[in-house]
């Protein structure tokens, strides 16, 4: 353990950033996994192949949703027990939840292969796009278990004060992914399946390192003979259900975006949506990384009933998120054309669609950070219900409303405006919940 008293130190910006900076960098590199696939696929294969990656996103988000639920919810439950000084029990629960992830991963992989042929039926896709979809998803599903373990070990490394190691794993995985993308696609001519394999192997780095690290007795969290406690699994699922809902409905909304774009523009529109999502995903990873970084601190102080530290942590966090919001909005506006040109050349019809879409969607970055933090905060405070309400409303209810209404009124621009409008509505709800529960938690 790097510093056994880190949770006992005063809450300062420096202390918070010690947790948050590595996780911010980590999530940024994790976002590169998908972005690098898109970069190589769009430039070395075609924009149709890029569209296929986005069309498989809802299925991939299902895998992400389950792993995120078990990771964030489990981390909150276990770190709360650590704060209550139930160390041995926390280690038993940790091992039990990791085994649950492995079983769930195997089941999801099997179900995915059984259902794969039926997933893209009825979407009226061209033959080459549908073939790209089946190729990419078929290879990606092979890595379901490593992906679940990666998401879990990432958070547990942070909770065990090994945020730097988590960052190193993410960077190594990202570099491996980039290198293998080039080798598999450009050199070995494996096509879009090569991109999927490269991504899976990149994810596997953290999974393998985590298995080694948590087998050591010196780690704050470590593998121990597991004890089956059904209540622990239920609590982990309940606490992480908001993050699961976010990931799950992101896949549903992505599917809606795709269907709407196919209706208004065609497959070029799907490629444009893919590029915009890469930009938003990259910016959102900053907020997600920060929320992941401070979550163990929130859970620990909550378990310790240290309201002063909790209050200071939340106050500083809101200020940090505001600064990140201003920076990301400014950069996205200024670099719209260069960012889009990385994926589509100016003479490609996808280019103009994506430039317009990015400029409109960038407005959402003013609100996204606060919404992500609010949901993550309530998860860390073991209030999965409020967190789920926030996440589900933001990612599904509000997006569903705006996706139906705005395109009818404004056409394609309404599709782009749907995200900022939904995020603004979510911000209002987050502010209400934040104020409502302030006295209860003492933040």
């Amino acid at each position: 353990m790097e510093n056994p008293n880190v949770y006992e130190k005063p809450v300062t910006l420096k202390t918070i950033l010690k947790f948050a900076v590595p996780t911010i960098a980590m999530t940024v590199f994790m976002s590169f996994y998908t972005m690098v696939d898109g970069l190589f696929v769009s430039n070395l294969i075609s924009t149709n192949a890029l569209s296929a990656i986005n069309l498989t996103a809802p299925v991939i988000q299902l895998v992400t949703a389950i792993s995120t639920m078990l990771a964030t919810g489990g981390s909150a439950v276990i770190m709360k027990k650590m704060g209550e000084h139930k160390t041995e029990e926390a280690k038993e629960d940790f091992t039990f939840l990791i085994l649950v992830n492995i079983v769930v991963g195997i089941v999801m992989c099997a179900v995915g292969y059984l259902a794969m042929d039926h997933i893209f039926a009825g979407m009226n896709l061209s033959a080459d796009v549908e073939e790209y979809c089946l190729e990419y998803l078929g290879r990606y599903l092979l890595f379901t278990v490593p992906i679940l373990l990666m998401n879990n070990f990432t958070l547990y490394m942070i909770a065990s004060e090994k945020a730097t190691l988590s960052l190193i794993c993410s960077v190594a995985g990202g570099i491996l992914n980039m290198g293998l993308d080039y080798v598999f696609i450009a050199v070995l001519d494996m096509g879009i399946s090569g991109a999927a394999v490269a991504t899976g192997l990149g994810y596997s780095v953290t999974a393998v390192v985590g298995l080694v690290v948590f087998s050591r007795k010196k780690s704050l969290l470590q593998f121990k003979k597991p004890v089956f406690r059904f209540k622990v699994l239920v609590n982990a699922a309940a606490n992480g259900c908001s993050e699961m809902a976010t990931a799950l409905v992101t896949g549903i909304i992505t599917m809606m975006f795709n269907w709407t774009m196919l209706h208004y523009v065609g497959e070029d529109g799907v490629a444009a949506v893919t590029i915009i999502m890469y930009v938003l995903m990259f910016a959102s990873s900053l907020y997600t990384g920060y929320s992941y970084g401070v979550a163990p601190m929130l859970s620990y102080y909550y378990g310790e009933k240290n309201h002063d530290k909790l209050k200071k942590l939340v106050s500083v966090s809101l200020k940090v998120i505001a600064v990140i919001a201003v920076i990301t909005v400014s950069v996205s506006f200024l670099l719209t054309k260069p960012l889009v040109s990385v994926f589509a050349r100016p003479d490609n019809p996808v280019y103009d669609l994506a430039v317009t879409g990015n400029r409109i969607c960038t407005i959402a970055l003013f609100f996204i950070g606060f919404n992500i933090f609010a949901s993550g905060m309530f998860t860390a405070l073991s209030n999965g219900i409020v967190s789920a309400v926030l996440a589900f409303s933001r990612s599904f209810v509000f997006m569903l409303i705006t996706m139906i209404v705005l395109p009818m009124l404004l056409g394609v621009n309404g599709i782009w405006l749907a995200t900022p409008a939904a995020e603004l509505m979510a911000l209002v709800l987050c502010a209400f919940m934040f104020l409502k529960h302030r006295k209860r938690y003492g933040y």
Side-chain angles (χ1 to χ4, degrees), residues 315-386:
S315 176
V316 174
S317 294
L318 293 176
K319 294 172 184 175
V320 170
I321 289 169
V323 171
I324 295 175
V326 172
I327 293 173
T328 54
V329 169
S330 302
V331 171
S332 184
F333 269 122
L334 291 172
L335 299 182
T336 289
K337 289 187 176 180
L339 286 171
V340 173
S341 65
V342 171
F343 296 93
R345 295 181 179 86
D347 59 347
N348 192 315
V350 172
Y351 178 84
D352 288 332
L353 279 169
V355 167
T356 302
N358 187 71
R359 286 174 174 163
I360 297 174
C361 284
T362 291
I363 300 170
L365 297 178
F366 278 122
F367 319 122
I368 288 176
F370 296 103
N371 295 332
I372 290 174
F373 176 75
S375 179
M377 181 186 76
F378 282 110
T379 296
L381 296 175
S382 295
N383 194 331
I385 295 176
V386 171

Side-chain angles (χ1 to χ4, degrees), residues 61-74 76 155 236-250 288 291-292 295 371-381 383-392 394-395:
Q61 285 295 338
L62 178 60
V63 177
T64 303
I66 300 298
S67 63
T68 300
M69 176 190 70
L70 294 172
T72 57
L155 292 190
N239 283 331
C241 65
S242 62
E243 279 68 24
M244 180 188 72
T246 300
L248 188 59
V249 300
T250 295
T288 303
S291 297
Y292 281 171
N371 295 332
I372 290 174
F373 176 75
S375 179
M377 181 186 76
F378 282 110
T379 296
L381 296 175
N383 194 331
I385 295 176
V386 171
S387 185
V389 169
L390 294 178
F392 186 73
R394 170 195 172 225
S395 302

Side-chain angles (χ1 to χ4, degrees), residues 261-273:
M261 271 299 181
L262 284 169
H263 173 72
Y264 279 91
V265 183
E267 290 172 354
D268 285 343
V270 176
V273 167

Side-chain angles (χ1 to χ4, degrees), residues 12-34:
T12 63
L13 181 61
K14 182 179 179 180
T15 305
I16 295 171
L17 292 180
K18 183 179 179 181
F19 272 81
V21 169
T23 56
I24 290 172
M26 173 198 66
T27 52
V28 167
F29 268 90
M30 287 173 66
S31 71
F32 280 160
Y33 291 154
T34 305

